[in-house]
Each structure stands twice: as C-alpha cells, then as structure tokens.
Amino acid sequence: MLHLDASSSYDAPALREPLVPPLPRAAFEHLDALFRLARRLTGDDDEAEDLVQETFARAMDKRAQFVPGTNLRAWLFRILRNLYIDGWRRAKASPVRERLGDEDPAAEGMVSGEPLRGDEELERLRSVVADDIEAALRELSVDARTIVLLDLEGFTQEELAEVLACNVGTVKSRLSRARAKLRELLREYAR
C-alpha cells in the first residue's frame, strides 16, 4: 500500500503512462500498394482486405517501435509479410481447412475489363497468359513470391532487405533464384 505523507510531492505527469507517438499519416499513402501485395499473396479480395486491416492494426499496436525518419513503407510491408506467413503456417498446420480443392481462387477472374480495341481473341490470350503467370507465381515458395511481388512494387534492393530482414546480398540471390524459377516455369513464353 502506498502512503503519501505531507512532505512528499505529487507529480501527476510522472505517474502517467508514456505517450506513444501516433502512426504517421504517411502510412495511409501505402494502402493501395499493401492491398496489391496482399491480393497477390492471398488470391482473394476479402482476405487481402483483412490482411491489410490486420497490418494497420498491428502497426498501430507497435507504433512505438517505429523510428521516425526510417523507411515507413518497408516497415509496413514487413508487418504485412510476417502476418501473411504466420497465417499461412497456421492454416497449413490446421486440421480444418476452408478450401478443400487445389483450385486457387486467384486464377478466377483475374483479368477483366474491356478488350483492347474490341479484339476478343487478344483479350482471351491476355487472360491465358495472366492465368499462366498467376499459376507460375503460386508455384514459388512464399518467400520467393513475396520478393518478386515486392520487386514489382518498385522496392529497391535496400528496401527489400529491410522488409525481409536480411542483407542486400541475400536479397540479390533470392531475387535471382526467384526470377530464374519464374523463367523456367514460363519458358514457353520466352521465344
């Protein structure tokens, strides 16, 4: 039990919890890019939205760990990647699975929109190619798929190293291996 005598001074600010800095507004500038990566990883709009929402919730929870002036974008993408991998591992180990088949919903309806110059055959070919690229991406490991998708988002190798928590040299070798595997999987298009 705490006893205060008349001689002790009461300092209210010293008893308060330490103030946690707010999440920078700039975090919301990366919302679309986070969703694109989440969509590519999950193959489903609803799951991607959930993953991005969980990413922002985790970022809010851990905002005291963010160092202002460092790469906010890489920090958010690292959170998203780690959440996805954790969820993927839990789902893989779970005896109850939502999807029973090997079908990936990411391949369904990926290319939609108006045909280029009204050419339906060209649109059908674009759809086939997109399906093949999606299938090739699904063949990659989670880490290889993530590094390729982040590379396509325009991350520098230094940013990729920060997101993946590894050295730039490791990023270069992983990216090289992932690209080589994609080339192998898509070799019939490399004419």
Short mmCIF file of all heavy atoms in Angstrom, two decimals, residues 36 51 66 76 109 113 123 130 132-133 146 154 176:
data_model
loop_
_atom_site.label_atom_id
_atom_site.label_comp_id
_atom_site.label_asym_id
_atom_site.label_seq_id
_atom_site.Cartn_x
_atom_site.Cartn_y
_atom_site.Cartn_z
N ARG A 36 -2.41 -4.38 -52.97
CA ARG A 36 -1.99 -5.12 -54.17
C ARG A 36 -1.17 -6.34 -53.78
O ARG A 36 -1.37 -7.44 -54.30
CB ARG A 36 -1.21 -4.21 -55.11
CG ARG A 36 -2.07 -3.29 -55.93
CD ARG A 36 -1.28 -2.61 -57.05
NE ARG A 36 -0.15 -1.83 -56.58
CZ ARG A 36 -0.22 -0.55 -56.24
NH1 ARG A 36 -1.35 0.10 -56.32
NH2 ARG A 36 0.86 0.09 -55.82
N LEU A 51 -6.13 -8.80 -44.36
CA LEU A 51 -4.69 -8.78 -44.11
C LEU A 51 -4.18 -7.34 -43.99
O LEU A 51 -3.38 -7.03 -43.10
CB LEU A 51 -3.95 -9.52 -45.23
CG LEU A 51 -2.44 -9.66 -45.07
CD1 LEU A 51 -2.06 -10.35 -43.77
CD2 LEU A 51 -1.88 -10.44 -46.26
N PHE A 66 8.27 2.01 -34.21
CA PHE A 66 8.67 2.68 -35.45
C PHE A 66 9.54 3.89 -35.11
O PHE A 66 9.19 4.70 -34.27
CB PHE A 66 7.45 3.12 -36.26
CG PHE A 66 7.83 3.90 -37.49
CD1 PHE A 66 8.43 3.26 -38.55
CD2 PHE A 66 7.61 5.26 -37.56
CE1 PHE A 66 8.81 3.98 -39.68
CE2 PHE A 66 7.99 5.98 -38.68
CZ PHE A 66 8.58 5.33 -39.75
N LEU A 76 5.90 -1.20 -42.93
CA LEU A 76 4.53 -1.69 -43.13
C LEU A 76 4.52 -2.98 -43.95
O LEU A 76 3.78 -3.92 -43.64
CB LEU A 76 3.68 -0.62 -43.82
CG LEU A 76 3.34 0.60 -42.98
CD1 LEU A 76 2.74 1.70 -43.84
CD2 LEU A 76 2.41 0.22 -41.84
N GLY A 109 -11.06 -15.04 -62.74
CA GLY A 109 -11.44 -13.65 -62.99
C GLY A 109 -10.35 -12.63 -62.76
O GLY A 109 -10.66 -11.50 -62.41
N GLY A 113 -12.26 -6.51 -67.72
CA GLY A 113 -12.22 -5.17 -68.29
C GLY A 113 -12.51 -5.23 -69.76
O GLY A 113 -12.87 -6.27 -70.30
N GLU A 123 -8.02 -10.42 -75.96
CA GLU A 123 -8.41 -10.46 -74.55
C GLU A 123 -8.33 -11.89 -74.01
O GLU A 123 -7.88 -12.12 -72.90
CB GLU A 123 -9.82 -9.88 -74.36
CG GLU A 123 -10.26 -9.81 -72.93
CD GLU A 123 -9.41 -8.88 -72.08
OE1 GLU A 123 -8.75 -7.97 -72.60
OE2 GLU A 123 -9.41 -9.09 -70.85
N ALA A 130 -2.15 -14.30 -68.33
CA ALA A 130 -2.27 -13.88 -66.92
C ALA A 130 -2.48 -15.09 -66.02
O ALA A 130 -1.91 -15.17 -64.93
CB ALA A 130 -3.43 -12.89 -66.76
N ASP A 132 -1.45 -18.13 -66.61
CA ASP A 132 -0.17 -18.85 -66.54
C ASP A 132 0.82 -18.15 -65.60
O ASP A 132 1.55 -18.81 -64.86
CB ASP A 132 0.45 -18.99 -67.94
CG ASP A 132 -0.31 -19.98 -68.82
OD1 ASP A 132 -1.17 -20.72 -68.28
OD2 ASP A 132 -0.06 -20.00 -70.04
N ILE A 133 0.84 -16.83 -65.63
CA ILE A 133 1.73 -16.09 -64.73
C ILE A 133 1.30 -16.28 -63.29
O ILE A 133 2.13 -16.52 -62.41
CB ILE A 133 1.77 -14.60 -65.12
CG1 ILE A 133 2.47 -14.42 -66.47
CG2 ILE A 133 2.46 -13.77 -64.04
CD1 ILE A 133 2.36 -13.04 -67.06
N THR A 146 6.91 -13.47 -52.49
CA THR A 146 6.89 -12.16 -51.83
C THR A 146 7.97 -11.25 -52.40
O THR A 146 7.70 -10.09 -52.70
CB THR A 146 7.10 -12.33 -50.31
OG1 THR A 146 6.06 -13.16 -49.79
CG2 THR A 146 7.07 -10.99 -49.61
N GLY A 154 8.24 -1.98 -56.97
CA GLY A 154 9.22 -0.91 -57.12
C GLY A 154 10.14 -0.71 -55.93
O GLY A 154 10.82 0.31 -55.84
N SER A 176 17.30 -13.34 -57.62
CA SER A 176 17.85 -14.03 -58.80
C SER A 176 17.28 -15.44 -58.92
O SER A 176 16.86 -15.86 -60.01
CB SER A 176 19.37 -14.07 -58.71
OG SER A 176 19.90 -14.80 -59.78
#
